[in-house]
Amino acid sequence: MECDCVFCKIAKGDIPSATLYEDEDLRVILDLGPASKGHALVIPRTHAANLFELPDEIAEKAIVVAKKIAVRLKEGLHADGLNLVQNNGEAAGQTVDHFHIHLIPRYKNDTVNIKWQPGTLSEADKEDILKLFR
């Protein structure tokens, strides 16, 4: 673990947190700056700055744990929906360079704003992208 990473310190237990779940690979905590009631973070104990550096087995486990916690939050808090948000890089809104998944319970008429203006998929863009997968 990197000693200057705040999420490594939280995952290790060096910084106290309101922990909802933990095992040998992950810790799920309540976010100290919640977007809504129940906003939680799934944090791997292994340091990886983002999804691209995260080992596949931890990524797989993180999404399974995220689903389990999301179900409990949604049902227990009577949320109307839930966002799973995972940002990679500053341009994508990542503010802590340690992979994490946000679980954000949503309520009708809440003030959480996770929206974008839909664009149009051009034929040129479509072909450029499809070439990457051929």
Side-chain angles (χ1 to χ4, degrees):
M1 287 192 203
E2 294 185 5
C3 62
D4 63 338
C5 174
V6 67
F7 280 5
C8 283
K9 291 176 184 177
I10 291 169
K12 188 176 172 185
D14 292 343
I15 295 176
S17 62
T19 300
L20 304 178
Y21 171 89
E22 65 181 316
D23 63 26
E24 65 280 356
D25 297 315
L26 302 166
R27 182 173 283 209
V28 181
I29 65 167
L30 290 177
D31 194 309
L32 291 178
S36 69
K37 182 178 180 179
H39 182 168
L41 303 174
V42 178
I43 304 171
R45 293 185 188 274
T46 301
H47 183 81
N50 51 48
L51 178 65
F52 312 114
E53 295 180 9
L54 192 67
D56 288 349
E57 62 275 5
I58 302 298
E60 291 170 3
K61 188 170 184 181
I63 196 67
V64 169
V65 168
K67 178 184 175 187
K68 289 178 184 176
I69 300 300
V71 167
R72 289 189 65 185
L73 288 169
K74 185 177 180 300
E75 291 175 357
L77 296 175
H78 308 289
D80 299 306
L82 188 132
N83 289 110
L84 238 64
V85 178
Q86 202 285 303
N87 304 317
N88 295 282
E90 185 179 347
Q94 185 176 11
T95 58
V96 177
D97 287 333
H98 185 114
F99 173 90
H100 56 288
I101 302 172
H102 293 264
L103 306 175
I104 306 172
R106 298 301 303 274
Y107 307 92
K108 288 182 179 146
N109 302 315
D110 67 24
T111 60
V112 178
N113 188 12
I114 304 173
K115 298 180 181 183
W116 56 87
Q117 194 68 11
T120 302
L121 178 62
S122 71
E123 282 299 314
D125 286 350
K126 180 176 78 173
E127 287 307 313
D128 286 346
I129 296 164
L130 288 172
K131 284 179 190 175
L132 298 172
F133 294 90
R134 290 188 182 134

